């Protein structure tokens, strides 16, 4: 099989790494890839969201299946572009990717199909947003309708924060057109869980569980980011809950999309709050999570290329995938300034030293090779450093040992990935 991976982040690096372990895969291409991916795949100088060029490359290179990492190409309709040309793509078409690209669509969809989610109102102006906040009662959450790289969500706990949120969304228009409509949502509390599954439009294959850390700073403080770390398995999901999520959220969503003529193929990611009243959907994503995938896919003991091909064909052959019974922790190493404008161009050292440690894998994201061969920072989330272990405790120790070996000016990371999980489990008794 010849496989093309679209994207340039650590998630895509992890996918390429998994494809290299898949039986029957002869060629792996990436567009555009990054310096880490270039060690394992042929990188094409094509942007992931340049749909005609990507499709031409897939046709020229006789690619058997194209796997889309980020949401943007999907929201732009790469699924439709490939379908028109008779090319195979793992990912939903544009009208199905709307589960991620429009939070208002996703919310209405949940209501239509009885999928549990937070109560909300859609606001198109400052006045409507203020009225919605009053009606729901503070605290509430403001969410840009469109794509915002995980940064379009603001918590509103006080009248001051309400005035600020209205300023950010409707006066500054920080999220541009993506913020034309704003979802004002009741604030839920509980443990957050990311749940992903692969679907061919009808059948559903769950992906191993994970826990993602979205806030920038220690103790879940600071602004939302794309994700500062993750571990797999999630471990705090009580027995039976996986099945509950599958049956009350994922299966009804896949069936609902089919019933609406928006057949959903690819990865369906549900971001959930486990409330006292049961799971509630916070968001849907139409692709693999980043950084969850970096942690999860290191546990994959199965042929991802074949599963992706079969899902794209609407013909999944299996009801489950095999995952190693071990823990993986992923620590995102970020550049100064992230999640705002990051510093760029700082020399990165120690990646090979980190990789030399037993159990450490380093995936590249915001990195670039200068002409003289020096590896430098080139984005907010620079590297994902993963550690494997028989327990989460061990996996975290390994991952942080890797992080310690890496250096660049302005390097920072969250020191407390997994800490809450270890605390709720009692670290000594914990077994992955
Ligand atoms: P989203 O992109 O919708 O998943 O939101 C980003 C983050 O904001 C989530 O991971 C939660 O931590 C938080 N969040 C979103 N919606 C809510 C809600 N209704 N109640 C509490 N926290 C929320
Ligand atoms: N880590 C959250 C996401 O991929 O959306």
């Amino acid at each position: 099989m010849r496989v093309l991976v679209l994207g340039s982040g650590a998630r895509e690096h992890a996918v390429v790494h998994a494809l290299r372990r898949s039986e029957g895969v002869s060629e792996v291409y990436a567009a555009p890839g990054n310096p880490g991916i270039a060690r394992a795949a042929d990188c094409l100088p094509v942007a992931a969201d340049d749909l005609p060029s990507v499709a031409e490359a897939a046709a020229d290179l006789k690619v058997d299946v194209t796997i889309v990492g980020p949401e943007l190409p999907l929201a732009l309709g790469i699924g439709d572009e490939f379908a028109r040309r008779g090319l195979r793509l793992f990912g939903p078409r544009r009208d199905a990717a709307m589960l991620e690209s429009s939070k208002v669509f996703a919310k209405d969809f949940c209501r239509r199909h009885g999928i549990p989610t937070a109560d909300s109102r859609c606001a198109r102006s400052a006045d409507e947003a203020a009225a919605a906040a009053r009606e729901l009662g503070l605290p509430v959450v403001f969410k840009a309708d469109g794509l915002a790289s995980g940064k379009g969500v603001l918590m509103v706990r006080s009248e001051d924060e309400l005035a600020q949120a209205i300023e950010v969304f409707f006066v500054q228009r920080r999220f541009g057109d993506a913020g034309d409509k704003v979802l004002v949502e009741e604030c839920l509390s509980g443990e957050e869980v990311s749940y992903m599954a692969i679907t061919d439009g009808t059948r559903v294959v769950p992906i191993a569980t994970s826990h993602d850390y979205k806030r920038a700073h220690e103790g879940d403080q600071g602004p939302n980011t794309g994700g500062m770390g993750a571990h797999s398995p999630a471990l705090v999901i009580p027995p039976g809950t996986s099945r509950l999520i599958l049956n009350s959220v994922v299966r009804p969503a896949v069936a609902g999309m089919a019933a609406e003529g928006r057949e959903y193929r690819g990865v369906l990611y549900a971001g959930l709050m486990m409330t006292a009243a049961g799971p509630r959907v916070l968001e849907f994503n139409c692709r693999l999570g980043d950084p969850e995938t970096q942690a999860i896919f290191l546990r994959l003991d199965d042929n991802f290329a074949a599963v992706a091909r079969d899902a794209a064909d609407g013909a999944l052959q299996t009801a489950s995938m095999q995952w190693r019974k071990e823990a993986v922790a992923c620590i995102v190493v970020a550049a100064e300034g992230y999640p705002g404008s990051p510093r760029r161009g700082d020399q990165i050292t120690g990646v090979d030293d980190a990789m030399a440690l037993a159990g450490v894998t380093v995936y590249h994201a915001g990195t670039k090779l200068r002409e003289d061969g020096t590896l430098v920072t080139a984005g907010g989330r620079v590297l994902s450093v993963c550690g494997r272990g028989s327990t989460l405790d061990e996996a975290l120790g390994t991952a942080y040992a890797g992080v310690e070996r890496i250096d660049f000016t302005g390097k920072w990371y969250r020191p407390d990935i997994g800490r809450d999980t270890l605390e709720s489990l009692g670290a000594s008794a914990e077994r992955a």
Side-chain angles (χ1 to χ4, degrees):
M1 244 195 289
R2 302 157 72 84
V3 189
L4 168 62
V5 177
L6 301 186
S8 60
R11 164 184 51 205
E12 290 75 25
H13 194 176
V15 168
V16 164
H17 188 203
L19 291 169
R20 279 285 172 218
R21 304 192 306 266
S22 294
E23 212 176 299
V25 172
S26 54
E27 292 296 332
V28 182
Y29 300 99
N34 65 36
I37 292 174
R39 291 184 174 191
D42 275 341
C43 291
L44 314 173
V46 177
D49 54 2
D50 176 353
L51 310 190
S53 301
V54 168
E56 269 154 40
D60 287 351
L61 295 167
K62 301 194 173 15
V63 163
D64 294 292
V65 60
T66 297
I67 296 170
V68 188
E71 58 276 16
L72 186 58
L74 296 165
L76 293 174
I78 196 166
D80 308 77
E81 178 79 29
F82 270 57
R84 266 196 298 279
R85 299 177 188 235
L87 297 167
R88 194 189 278 124
L89 182 117
F90 178 65
R93 295 208 196 180
R94 176 158 59 184
D95 63 359
M98 277 182 74
L99 272 186
E100 173 165 5
S101 64
S102 170
K103 287 194 190 269
V104 173
F105 170 83
K107 186 62 81 173
D108 292 340
F109 173 82
C110 285
R111 289 209 187 95
R112 287 198 290 279
H113 296 281
I115 297 168
T117 184
D119 194 11
S120 71
R121 304 285 178 274
C122 173
R124 290 162 200 269
S125 67
D127 287 348
E128 285 181 17
R134 300 261 138 64
E135 199 188 333
L136 292 167
L138 298 184
V140 293
V141 184
F142 273 41
K143 298 184 174 183
D145 175 50
L147 297 180
S149 306
K151 295 165 207 161
V153 174
L154 283 185
M155 306 293 272
V156 173
R157 282 156 296 217
S158 64
E159 289 294 326
D160 273 358
E161 287 184 353
L162 178 59
Q164 276 166 31
I166 287 175
E167 168 82 18
V168 164
F169 277 88
F170 294 103
V171 182
Q172 292 172 9
R173 290 184 49 82
R174 186 185 294 170
F175 306 107
D177 294 348
D180 277 347
K181 286 186 263 180
V182 175
L183 205 60
V184 180
E185 192 169 282
E186 82 177 296
C187 190
L188 301 174
S189 54
E191 197 83 51
E192 255 186 88
V193 171
S194 310
Y195 194 91
M196 290 187 263
I198 292 174
T199 174
D200 64 359
T202 323
R203 286 160 284 245
V204 172
V205 175
I207 291 177
T209 61
S210 63
H211 180 78
D212 171 30
Y213 293 79
K214 287 195 171 128
R215 304 291 285 271
H217 305 308
E218 191 168 356
D220 286 327
Q221 302 297 311
N224 272 312
T225 69
M228 292 303 300
H231 60 76
S232 176
L235 294 168
V236 291
I237 301 186
T241 302
S242 250
R243 186 152 296 276
L244 178 67
I245 296 170
L246 202 55
N247 290 332
S248 66
V249 175
V250 179
R251 289 189 199 283
V254 170
M257 291 300 272
E260 294 190 8
R262 298 171 184 268
E263 189 186 57
Y264 193 103
R265 289 185 190 175
V267 174
L268 181 62
Y269 169 133
L272 301 153
M273 190 71 88
M274 305 306 296
T275 72
R280 296 283 180 272
V281 172
L282 298 180
E283 65 164 348
F284 284 116
N285 293 321
C286 60
R287 35 87 197 161
L288 290 163
D290 184 349
E292 296 93 315
T293 302
Q294 292 88 302
I296 292 172
F297 270 41
L298 275 170
R299 296 182 52 219
L300 181 62
D301 198 9
D302 217 317
N303 191 325
F304 180 57
V307 172
R309 176 198 57 203
D310 295 347
D313 285 344
L316 272 172
Q317 307 290 318
T318 173
S320 63
M321 287 194 283
Q322 298 304 311
W323 307 96
R324 273 189 281 274
K325 292 203 182 325
E326 63 179 10
V328 179
C330 167
I331 317 300
V332 170
V333 180
E336 189 180 315
Y338 182 76
S341 316
R343 269 177 74 108
R344 287 164 199 268
D346 291 304
Q347 183 177 352
I348 305 168
T349 58
V351 173
D352 288 336
D353 284 352
M355 290 280 280
L357 291 173
V360 172
T361 305
V362 181
Y363 294 124
H364 289 233
T367 69
K368 204 174 85 175
L369 274 182
R370 263 195 333 230
E371 265 170 33
D372 65 0
T374 309
L375 189 70
V376 297
T377 61
R381 293 192 290 177
V382 178
L383 298 162
S384 279
V385 182
C386 300
R388 297 160 68 164
S390 56
T391 63
L392 175 59
D393 215 6
E394 206 178 293
L396 285 162
T398 302
Y400 279 115
V403 169
E404 293 296 313
R405 295 208 168 183
I406 291 167
D407 202 21
F408 56 85
T409 306
K411 164 194 169 192
W412 68 277
Y413 57 91
R414 265 184 71 163
D416 65 333
I417 301 302
R419 193 184 290 162
D420 56 345
T421 307
L422 290 181
E423 277 164 8
S424 54
L425 292 171
S428 56
E430 181 257 327
R431 276 284 169 277

